[in-house]
Each structure stands twice: as structure tokens, then as C-alpha cells.
Amino acid sequence: MASSESDAGASDALVERLEQELDLARAQRDAARRATRDLEGSAAYRLGSRLAWLPRKVKGARRRLTSGGRKGARPDGGPLVSGDTQPTPFRAPEGTTPPARIADPDVTVVIPVYNSEAWLDDCISSVLAQTGVSLEVICVNDGSTDDSRAVLQRFADQDARVRIIDQPNQGQSVGRNAGLDAAAGRYLIYLDSDDFWPDDTLAGLVRRADEQNLDVLMFDCYAFLDGTVAAATWKRYSTYYQRSHAYSEVRPGPQMIADMRRNRDYRPHVGMYIARTAFVRESASRFIPGIIHQDNPYTFALLLNAERVAHTDADIYARRIRPGSTITTLHDARSVIGYFLSYVAMVREIQDREFPPEVTDMIAEVVYGVFDGASKKVASLTPSELAEVKALDGRPDAQLAFFALKKFRAR
């Protein structure tokens, strides 16, 4: 009995201490917000923020001029936007004979596929048309129920560089991990099955990565509309993938995270870089199965372990914003689960690491941003959904993160 009372007392003391720490953190946060509001009210800040965003706005304007966007209205009165004009995928001239498959290609392109029949031709054709570089294309069919498998087989029959891996439906993370495990290329790059490459750019990326002995070479992406989506979604993503600055100088991965975050340019999407396959495997970076937002912990871990990273200020990747995609049909419970597990994984990744203070601050912002994504949606979860989040990981650090997350639900 005495032992039970002692354990209960210790538990109560822990909870009380955590609540005190949270109260202190909130007070510090509120003070920081007041200081930030004072700063943002100054004329110098307003001018500086406009100048900082100008490069991205200029790049985005160029894309919107050709996007064919039209605004409309949903039946419930919410605004919509539609797109008619789409960019053209890069394609090989008609009658081109495909190169032979080689055992050790320059690049492995991993494409997870689930019910992507309508877009696979654009996607795979844009890869196979790349010149000046040897490649293999690993298409992981994730239990598609449409004719995606038949489309993949057609490409495999016509081009020996295409390899198909079939798996039961397990999600994009499992598909990407399977592609990583099977990759034979010196470099690895991911491409979503409804996106494509608009130009013949892969050889240039490989050449630069070789010349500078890079672990990771990052690049930009532009979004285009295909169909009708919420205007708020298009506003968020129309220029999201285009960075406002260039980061051409080679630097360690943690420094790249910090520099990009400082300019609000950090983007974790895994289609926006090419990485040395041996380095990816040495870093032990893997996608968390069964979640969305899985790019966050994967890219974060990869960059933390990278010694040589650079960026090219070019739109290499064309990102299709369409109805029914992951980013346009986010479910709050799935989103919270994805952000929560991503946050826990990212916190564990930085444990026992030391960085310069200016790098630590920016890395902390990146990690907290993922937690913030969960905190903004947790209030909409049902009690059973909240219990599901709690049961995801029983380790103490995960339970502490859940305790902090649950506080946002009570507000």
C-alpha cells in the first residue's frame, strides 16, 4: 500500500511539474508574441518582409500567367479555382529507341503508384525521355484497383529500364521504402505518380552532384492546377514549392536546414532533391509506414546526416494540384497522426546532437512547425480518435508530446 501511495504521489508530482513547465512555456511564448507584434508593426519590418518575399512572388507570377486559373464558387459559397492550361511533360521524340538497361545506372527513380492510371503516361514518359544519363525506373504498384498495373506493364514491355514491384496496398511510405531497398543507381530520386519532369534536366543534376561530391542536391518545383480545388488550397501551394533564394554554396545539411528556414524556404517534399544512394542507406533514413506527412521526418533525418548539400535555383519538378490528391483531401485525424509521429521521430533525431546556436534555433522551428500542424487540428478529433493517437507510441517522450498536444484540445 505504501508503495502504491508513493508511486501515485510521484506521478502527481510529475504531472504538476509538467503543468508548471507548460505554464512557463506559455508565458514565454506570449511574451515572444508581444515582442513579435511590436516588431511587425514597425515600418522597417514591413519593408523588409516585402523585399524578402519579392523573388518568390516574381517566380510565382510567371507560373500563374500560364496556369489558366479561373475562380468560381462552391455550392456552400466557398471559393474554388480551376485550371485549364497545363505544362507539357518532357517526352522523347517519336520513334526513339530506348537505351539498354545496365546493372549500375547513374540514377534510380522510385515511383510509388496507387490508382494513377490517368497520369502515369505523363509521369513515366518524362523520366524515360531524359538524356545523357543512365537510369532505372522502379514503379511500386501499391495494390492499385484501376488499370495502373496494365499501364506499368506496357512501359516495362517497351523499355527494359522499367521495373515493377507489386505489393498489397500499404501506402506510399512502404512503397518508397521498397524502391529504396531495390535501388541499383548511384543516385536516388523520388517522383509521385501524378507528377512529372517538364524538361531534360536529370543529367545536369548528376553532373553537378558528381563535380561537387554532394550527398544531396536540392532543387525547386512549380505547381499547376489540374481540375477544380479550393481557392485556399491553390493559394497555399501555387508558389509554395518555389524558394525565394538560391543556396548554391555547398554546406552541411543542418546548416542548409537553418539557412532555408531562416528565409522561410525549407521544403521537405522528397521529390525536390537527388541524393547519393549509398549515403541514404548509411544514414538509415526510412519512411514511417502508414502515415501522411511522412516526408517531414525522412528529409529532416537525411539532411541532418548530410555533410555536403547544395541547391540549384531551378524548377525541375512539376507538381499537380488536383481534386482527390492527398494534399487536397486531408482528413484531420490522419493529419494529426502523421504530424504527431513525424514530430516524435524528428525530436528523437536531434537528441544528443549539438549545433551552433543560430542553427539550433532554426532546427527547433522546423521541428516545432510539425507539432504545430498537429495542434491546429487536434480539437476536431473525436475521443476515440484522440485515444488512437495516444496509443500510437507508449514510450515516455511520445506520451509527453501527446500530453502537450492534448492541452491544445482543451483551449
Side-chain angles (χ1 to χ4, degrees):
M1 179 66 72
S3 176
S4 298
E5 291 175 353
S6 176
D7 291 344
S11 177
D12 291 342
L14 174 61
V15 171
E16 183 178 357
R17 187 173 75 253
L18 289 174
E19 289 178 343
Q20 290 172 349
E21 290 176 355
L22 282 173
D23 289 340
L24 177 60
R26 291 192 191 103
Q28 293 173 338
R29 178 204 61 197
D30 293 341
R33 284 176 174 173
R34 288 193 295 272
T36 300
R37 284 195 296 269
D38 292 341
L39 174 62
E40 291 176 346
S42 68
Y45 179 91
R46 291 195 299 270
L47 176 60
S49 63
R50 282 166 173 76
L51 291 175
W53 282 95
L54 183 59
R56 184 179 299 160
K57 293 297 184 183
V58 171
K59 289 177 71 175
R62 176 174 60 84
R63 299 305 321 159
R64 285 192 293 272
L65 286 173
T66 58
S67 68
R70 289 198 315 272
K71 289 187 177 180
R74 292 200 300 265
D76 63 2
L80 293 174
V81 62
S82 300
D84 292 333
T85 305
Q86 298 178 18
T88 303
F90 184 66
R91 292 181 181 273
E94 190 172 348
T96 300
T97 301
R101 179 187 178 91
I102 65 174
D104 52 350
D106 293 318
V107 182
T108 294
V109 184
V110 175
I111 306 174
V113 176
Y114 177 72
N115 290 354
S116 305
E117 175 190 0
W119 311 286
L120 275 177
D121 189 85
D122 285 351
C123 177
I124 299 176
S125 294
S126 75
V127 176
L128 296 177
Q130 300 293 309
T131 65
V133 63
S134 59
L135 56 84
E136 69 171 351
V137 185
I138 297 180
C139 300
V140 184
N141 177 41
D142 187 36
S144 295
T145 57
D146 64 355
D147 284 336
S148 292
R149 183 58 172 79
V151 175
L152 295 179
Q153 191 62 55
R154 171 168 58 83
F155 274 101
D157 290 343
Q158 296 171 352
D159 196 317
R161 297 173 297 170
V162 177
R163 176 183 174 187
I164 305 171
I165 296 176
D166 289 305
Q167 66 179 32
N169 180 243
Q170 299 176 75
Q172 195 173 58
S173 289
V174 176
R176 286 174 174 166
N177 287 337
L180 167 58
D181 291 339
R186 294 190 299 117
Y187 291 99
L188 176 72
I189 189 169
Y190 298 99
L191 178 62
D192 288 350
S193 58
D194 54 352
D195 299 332
F196 57 82
W197 295 336
D199 297 301
D200 189 9
T201 50
L202 187 58
L205 296 176
V206 171
R207 184 167 54 252
R208 181 173 176 192
D210 280 343
E211 290 172 351
Q212 297 185 318
N213 191 29
L214 299 176
D215 296 321
V216 179
L217 176 57
M218 310 179 80
F219 49 81
D220 289 355
C221 161
Y222 65 80
F224 68 95
L225 272 174
D226 183 3
T228 301
V229 302
T233 298
W234 177 241
K235 181 179 180 181
R236 170 172 171 74
Y237 290 106
S238 61
T239 60
Y240 173 80
Y241 301 103
Q242 294 171 311
R243 297 180 175 93
S244 61
H245 294 71
Y247 306 85
S248 57
E249 181 180 346
V250 179
R251 67 202 78 186
Q255 186 67 55
M256 182 64 83
I257 293 174
D259 292 343
M260 287 187 166
R261 174 59 190 176
R262 191 170 291 108
N263 293 317
R264 300 301 183 259
D265 276 343
Y266 179 74
R267 302 289 180 266
H269 180 48
V270 297
M272 295 174 64
Y273 53 83
I274 184 170
R276 203 162 41 83
T277 307
F279 160 70
V280 175
R281 288 173 174 158
E282 289 165 5
S283 72
S285 297
R286 305 286 288 182
F287 293 94
I288 300 174
I291 68 167
I292 59 175
H293 308 308
Q294 68 270 35
D295 291 13
N296 286 282
Y298 179 89
T299 298
F300 186 70
L302 203 65
L303 290 176
L304 284 183
N305 289 291
E307 295 181 0
R308 296 181 62 80
V309 182
H311 165 253
T312 181
D313 185 24
D315 294 330
I316 304 295
Y317 188 111
R319 179 78 158 150
R320 191 186 305 266
I321 307 300
R322 62 175 178 85
S325 70
T326 300
I327 63 175
T328 59
T329 56
L330 287 176
H331 182 269
D332 284 350
R334 288 189 65 209
S335 192
V336 170
I337 287 172
Y339 277 133
F340 175 76
L341 289 179
S342 295
Y343 169 75
V344 172
M346 292 165 74
V347 169
R348 289 171 180 165
E349 194 66 42
I350 59 176
Q351 286 179 350
D352 302 323
R353 294 180 187 257
E354 293 185 4
F355 310 103
E358 66 276 9
V359 172
T360 299
D361 289 347
M362 294 299 101
I363 286 178
E365 283 193 15
V366 169
V367 175
Y368 181 77
V370 174
F371 179 84
D372 190 50
S375 71
K376 290 177 178 177
K377 297 178 179 292
V378 70
S380 65
L381 268 57
T382 65
S384 62
E385 290 171 336
L386 193 65
E388 181 182 355
V389 175
K390 185 179 189 304
L392 290 170
D393 190 329
R395 285 175 283 185
D397 56 347
Q399 290 301 301
L400 180 59
F402 174 78
F403 180 85
L405 183 65
K406 192 168 66 170
K407 288 291 185 178
F408 286 86
R409 181 178 170 84
R411 294 183 181 179

